[in-house]
Amino acid sequence: MSSKFLLPFVIYHLISTVGLTIHPIDNLCLNGQISMDASDIETASLDFGGMTKTKPLAVSYPTSADDIVSLVKAAYNSPQGFMVSARGHGHSINGQAQIANGVVIEMSGGSKGNKLRKDKQNLALPQISMHGNSSYVDVWGGELWIDVLDWTLQYGLAPKSWTDYLYLSVGGTLSNAGISGQAFNYGPQISNVHELDVVTGKGELITCSKNKNSELFHGVLGGLGQFGIITRARIALEQAPNKVRWIRVLYNNFSTFTKDQEYLISLHGKPTSERFDYVEGFVIVDEGLVNNWRSSFFSPKNPVKISSLNTTGGVLYCLEITKNYDESTANTIDQEVEALLKKLDFIPSSVFTTDLPYVDFLDRVHKAELKLRSKGLWDVPHPWLNLFVPKSRIADFDKGVFKGILGNKTSGPILIYPMNKNKWDSQNSVVTPDEDVFYLVALLRSALDSGEETQTLQYLRNQNRQILKFCDESGIKFKQYLPHYKSQKEWKGHFGDKWELFLKRKLQFDPKHILATGQHIFQPSFKSFRSSW
């Protein structure tokens, strides 16, 4: 066994009797692998945001749910105490999965964690079950969605609701919500879960669903990791299409753009032949962005110029829609798309269309990632800001932010698309604006060392603060998605009427505040760590 892994068999009472200082993890006698190797510590101290770094005491590579139970139970029963944080693919932005004075659990674990689990054979491959017209798959909480897709496609099936990027862990997205252009129809990923296995902050492994241990089930979904660690999720599936018709059209008028988006998501109850399967959009305030990453449709030989399209305030809006099909519907796809497009009021000359395999569409962002990696533009700070903005105030947001604060530089894509609130379960922990329709506005910027002030981390973070200040001063009752706050007062404001329920669930399932302290919602209750918090 490699010396980098510790399977400590230190006798706590023997060391303590000779007066040596006891580290809170020194007396762990656990299954699985606990590493204090410098490279493992370094990896666990970072995330995709690249703005926060917090080194844990150790890193755990669990081989089963039982390993997580043992670790959390040890933390809960420890006289001195230590914290535990589950880390999926490390795609958090503000250090939410990082932890000081504790152990990071590498749920996805990369090749190391996968090998350990394979060697132990404690975690079976995903299991698919079919019951009449419904089907589902049971998966490990650290599984990446791309791997879930690859597995289910072998059976001609796929999850119903997605995120735009598939190299995220199942437990990670379910702890937030999990959204993409399918959410108007199926709701977020947390609305498509039948059952969970969860290790609570007491070290209890509990199976929960809407009908069994429902308080834990609803608490964990969108619960930011505060009530338990998801070790298994039962995900709803549907028949997977073979192909996708992917369409982008441009608008130079914001109200026309949002009117069409809202019309399209109102069709969610219609037969598949009478609606699109995916509705998103993005904002273009920088001519360079028209022809790069999110806009690969446009030919480099014939670039689109914002100035040539009679924009208001120098801003364009792109509607992005898809229609799924297979061999049985291939002969009607043209007519169905044409009928839907006739009801929209986009710039007539701006229709860009492509057809591609379903899996290639779902995995489209990864292809962009590979391009950015090749240019050294992926592992940079990402000061992202994701907001849910109520429909009634989205025009004010456009005027104040898209046509105001942002100027004509964005340093990354800006997504905008509406969702139907009735597709979200109000019993889950996640909070959304109190309107029937609300918009995701995602400013997915990258900080670059290019010599341009508008691309620096400081500039972009200041701009994010200006946007939040503008919303507050304008009375726009937004909610942060992937929220980040530093004080409990701010968190109370975020959860609003749900705060008391959130607090009640915390006291029930993680009374010592062991879990996910990187969210900065609750202080750990161990006295020995209060001084360093």
Side-chain angles (χ1 to χ4, degrees), residues 165-471:
Y165 182 58
L166 302 188
Y167 287 74
L168 304 173
S169 69
V170 170
T173 66
L174 296 184
S175 295
N176 288 280
I179 55 175
S180 185
Q182 303 88 0
F184 82 94
N185 190 45
Y186 290 116
Q189 290 181 318
I190 57 174
S191 294
N192 294 275
V193 180
H194 294 309
E195 186 177 273
L196 299 170
D197 283 348
V198 176
V199 178
T200 71
K202 298 177 182 179
E204 301 168 324
L205 180 60
I206 297 176
T207 298
C208 55
S209 66
K210 287 184 177 180
N211 301 315
K212 180 181 181 180
N213 299 311
S214 60
E215 196 70 20
L216 179 61
F217 180 76
H218 290 299
V220 166
L221 293 175
L224 306 176
Q226 293 301 302
F227 314 115
I229 298 169
I230 298 171
T231 59
R232 178 185 64 91
R234 178 167 290 177
I235 308 297
L237 302 175
E238 64 176 354
Q239 289 294 317
N242 294 325
K243 301 275 285 185
V244 169
R245 173 71 54 84
W246 190 6
I247 306 159
R248 285 175 173 166
V249 296
L250 293 175
Y251 294 76
N252 54 22
N253 182 279
F254 186 71
S255 63
T256 304
F257 169 70
T258 55
K259 176 178 67 70
D260 280 359
Q261 279 195 321
E262 290 163 16
Y263 166 72
L264 291 176
I265 72 164
S266 74
L267 304 177
H268 62 88
K270 297 286 186 180
T272 55
S273 61
E274 299 177 24
R275 60 170 170 80
F276 285 111
D277 295 290
Y278 162 101
V279 177
E280 283 200 13
F282 54 95
V283 181
I284 304 167
V285 302
D286 183 339
E287 284 200 356
L289 287 178
V290 179
N291 305 293
N292 69 10
W293 182 41
R294 291 284 298 187
S295 305
S296 57
F297 277 40
F298 302 104
S299 170
K301 297 179 181 179
N302 185 26
V304 176
K305 295 292 186 180
I306 293 179
S307 56
S308 68
L309 294 171
N310 299 318
T311 62
T312 302
V315 179
L316 278 176
Y317 310 95
C318 181
L319 173 64
E320 187 173 44
I321 43 186
T322 72
K323 195 152 187 49
N324 302 334
Y325 66 99
D326 50 35
E327 291 182 2
S328 65
T329 56
N331 61 336
T332 61
I333 182 72
D334 291 340
Q335 297 92 319
E336 291 173 6
V337 168
E338 184 179 357
L340 286 164
L341 290 180
K342 279 183 177 179
K343 298 180 179 180
L344 307 180
D345 193 17
F346 50 84
I347 299 172
S349 61
S350 69
V351 181
F352 297 84
T353 302
T354 189
D355 290 73
L356 69 169
Y358 181 63
V359 66
D360 288 355
F361 171 73
L362 291 181
D363 200 29
R364 62 200 180 279
V365 175
H366 181 58
K367 297 181 186 302
E369 174 191 348
L370 296 177
K371 292 180 182 178
L372 291 172
R373 284 189 181 278
S374 69
K375 299 176 181 179
L377 298 177
W378 184 258
D379 293 320
V380 298
H382 296 93
W384 287 7
L385 180 64
N386 296 271
L387 304 176
F388 289 145
V389 179
K391 169 187 169 181
S392 66
R393 301 302 305 276
I394 195 65
D396 296 319
F397 192 95
D398 170 62
K399 183 178 180 181
V401 178
F402 302 149
K403 295 188 179 80
I405 293 173
L406 293 183
N408 64 350
K409 295 290 183 181
T410 64
S411 193
I414 305 170
L415 305 188
I416 176 171
Y417 57 91
M419 288 173 278
N420 296 306
K421 190 178 178 72
N422 62 5
K423 299 294 182 179
W424 296 62
D425 191 332
S426 62
Q427 297 179 84
N428 294 338
S429 290
V430 69
V431 289
T432 60
D434 190 22
E435 291 189 9
D436 292 340
V437 172
F438 59 91
Y439 280 78
L440 170 74
V441 178
L443 295 99
L444 310 181
R445 283 96 67 78
S446 300
L448 305 176
D449 187 15
S450 64
E452 291 189 35
E453 182 189 3
T454 57
Q455 294 184 336
T456 64
L457 178 59
Q458 180 180 355
Y459 183 91
L460 294 174
R461 295 181 81 168
N462 286 339
Q463 200 171 66
N464 285 345
R465 285 189 281 269
Q466 290 176 45
I467 293 169
L468 295 174
K469 182 180 179 182
F470 165 77
C471 290

